[in-house]
Amino acid sequence: MITSILPTYSRAPLSFDKGEGSWLIETDGRRFLDLGAGIAVNALGHAHPALVAALTAQAEALWHVSNLYQIPQQKALADRLVDLTFADTVFFTNSGTEACELAVKMVRKYWFEKNEINRAEIITFSGSFHGRSSAGIAAAGSEKMTKGFGPLLPGFVHLDWEDQDALSAAITDKTAAIMIEPIQGEGGIRPLPDHYLKDLRALCDKHGILLILDEVQCGVGRTGKLFAHEWAGISPDIMMVAKGIGGGFPLGAVLATEDAASGMTAGTHGSTYGGNPLGCAVGCAVLEVVAEPGFLADVSRKAGTFRQALEGLVAAHSDVFEAVRGAGLMLGLKCKMTNSDVVSAGYDQHILTVPAADNVVRLLPPLTITEGEILEAVSRLDAAASALEAA
Ligand SMILES: *Cc1c(COP(=O)(O)O)cnc(C)c1O
């Protein structure tokens, strides 16, 4: 008999009823160190006082109004994002995959307005993840996500992630845009080298096509910059954001330049809940903390500590782990043993990590994690690896 919850997830037998900073507390009282952070969502940890205050104050005042009216919290968050990034304009969604939908629509409308209606192909890459909507799965294109769900939304050209030569050859007069994650998350914490991102920007400029970056997982401070592409000194035309921006409240956004967004006039797109006062009040509070002087430098400093300790862990357990990869506090342990076994062994040591493709275990702690908690995490991973070796 089917379960009351549609059984699309295989869930660990863990149930949490409270969160405090980097910790999740099981209903039986056990405290788990949370290196998953709701898959890079709880950027400021659990129950951060500034976020609780922002949400509570907004909840007491007003939850929802339609986008038929002015929403000051939405304007404040959009203004802040425009101040802090390449973007001239922002549309708010409730999730990453909705941001993907709009990014695709925006690109199509851009070329439609230029009377280039055949220019509707978006180049995407193997191992990528852009969400579970029809556009998102068609964009990523992996069999795992698309099998059985055809016919798929047309207009995506899938290239091998590593094959840079194939990319310039693939650009034709049908190419509208390139969509890519600066660091693949679900794909196994695979960072694009900075020079490759620079080359991508140059290639897009050369052909006059749009660059869409999916920073849903790697954005909002995770790499030690507000957005990961800043490390390469380039900017996209369109950027998808979600996860960390809401700190746990469902919130996403599409950021764009004025030019890229030029087709999106009144009536061309909308959302009932996107940009609601609750989400935007929390989003403003998240950005206030992340954009505080010193916050991102602190993320980078802690990331250095973490990475160094993880290199030691890998060296000490070469039967379990192969390598550390990633950037900032978006780290992956490439495993020799099966990654899901490593995650399970972590549960026994009361530490939460997240599996990813390519046999990787993801470490995506709250950006507010302390040095002490980082060392505690490595010690628990060490115990988990020792248990696996002894088994
Ligand atoms: C999680 C994720 C998405 C999808 O976000 P949802 O909020 O789950 O729809 C899209 N792109 C990337 C890179 C992600 O990590």
Side-chain angles (χ1 to χ4, degrees), residues 9 38-41 93-100 128-133 136 180-187 213-218 240-243 250-252 330 362:
Y9 277 92
I39 314 191
V41 167
T93 67
N94 309 288
S95 67
T97 206
E98 285 169 81
C100 177
S128 62
F129 183 78
H130 302 296
R132 302 298 194 141
S133 59
I180 196 163
E181 296 156 81
I183 304 175
Q184 285 191 350
E186 306 299 310
L213 292 182
D214 182 344
E215 293 227 16
V216 168
Q217 195 160 148
C218 62
M240 296 145 58
V241 177
K243 293 200 166 99
L251 178 65
M330 183 170 184
R362 267 181 286 181

Side-chain angles (χ1 to χ4, degrees), residues 49 110 186 318:
Y110 177 85
E186 306 299 310
S318 55

Side-chain angles (χ1 to χ4, degrees), residues 82-97:
V82 166
D83 278 351
L84 291 167
T85 69
F86 73 96
D88 302 312
T89 188
V90 184
F91 183 93
F92 292 104
T93 67
N94 309 288
S95 67
T97 206

Side-chain angles (χ1 to χ4, degrees), residues 90-381:
V90 184
F91 183 93
F92 292 104
T93 67
N94 309 288
S95 67
T97 206
E98 285 169 81
C100 177
E101 294 289 323
L102 173 55
V104 170
K105 285 177 69 177
M106 189 178 277
V107 161
R108 290 184 173 185
K109 191 67 163 35
Y110 177 85
W111 290 111
F112 175 86
E113 293 295 335
K114 290 194 169 358
N115 284 321
E116 290 212 47
I117 48 171
N118 290 323
R119 213 182 255 282
E121 280 179 4
I122 299 177
I123 294 176
T124 59
F125 297 87
S126 58
S128 62
F129 183 78
H130 302 296
R132 302 298 194 141
S133 59
S134 294
I137 63 171
S142 73
E143 184 176 325
K144 186 177 162 222
M145 273 183 281
T146 59
K147 193 177 175 194
F149 295 112
L152 298 178
L153 183 71
F156 296 97
V157 175
H158 303 103
L159 297 184
D160 192 359
W161 189 76
E162 271 111 359
D163 194 348
Q164 302 192 22
D165 298 333
L167 179 56
S168 34
I171 295 177
T172 68
D173 58 6
K174 289 202 175 72
T175 309
I178 295 174
M179 179 189 284
I180 196 163
E181 296 156 81
I183 304 175
Q184 285 191 350
E186 306 299 310
I189 310 291
R190 297 199 294 173
L192 272 186
D194 287 350
H195 66 84
Y196 188 36
L197 214 44
K198 282 197 180 91
D199 289 350
L200 267 181
R201 178 71 269 177
L203 199 63
C204 288
D205 289 343
K206 181 175 152 198
H207 294 276
I209 58 177
L210 300 173
L211 178 61
I212 310 168
L213 292 182
D214 182 344
E215 293 227 16
V216 168
Q217 195 160 148
C218 62
V220 195
R222 180 118 321 252
T223 65
K225 296 271 191 200
L226 188 55
F227 290 102
H229 67 261
E230 294 169 29
W231 289 108
I234 59 113
S235 60
D237 301 291
I238 298 172
M239 178 167 68
M240 296 145 58
V241 177
K243 293 200 166 99
I245 185 74
F249 197 94
L251 178 65
V254 173
L255 280 64
T257 63
E258 182 167 11
D259 180 47
S262 56
M264 303 305 295
T265 51
T268 56
H269 195 61
S271 171
T272 296
Y273 294 117
N276 66 78
L278 285 174
C280 290
V282 177
C284 285
V286 169
L287 275 190
E288 201 168 312
V289 174
V290 174
E292 233 168 55
F295 185 89
L296 293 173
D298 192 48
V299 168
S300 288
R301 194 179 45 74
K302 291 184 295 192
T305 305
F306 200 6
R307 187 160 192 133
Q308 200 175 8
L310 289 172
E311 298 286 0
L313 177 79
V314 168
H317 298 282
S318 55
D319 292 340
V320 180
F321 303 116
E322 194 176 308
V324 189
R325 62 200 200 195
L329 290 176
M330 183 170 184
L331 294 166
L333 289 168
K334 167 86 174 160
C335 296
K336 282 188 186 150
M337 289 191 180
T338 306
N339 60 349
S340 54
D341 292 343
V342 175
V343 171
S344 296
Y347 294 153
D348 295 337
Q349 306 301 327
H350 302 176
I351 183 165
L352 306 175
T353 59
V354 185
D358 201 26
N359 205 33
V360 162
V361 169
R362 267 181 286 181
L363 310 172
L364 308 160
L367 307 181
T368 49
I369 192 170
T370 65
E371 295 261 348
E373 286 165 345
I374 285 172
L375 298 179
E376 179 62 32
V378 176
S379 135
R380 290 182 187 210
L381 290 169

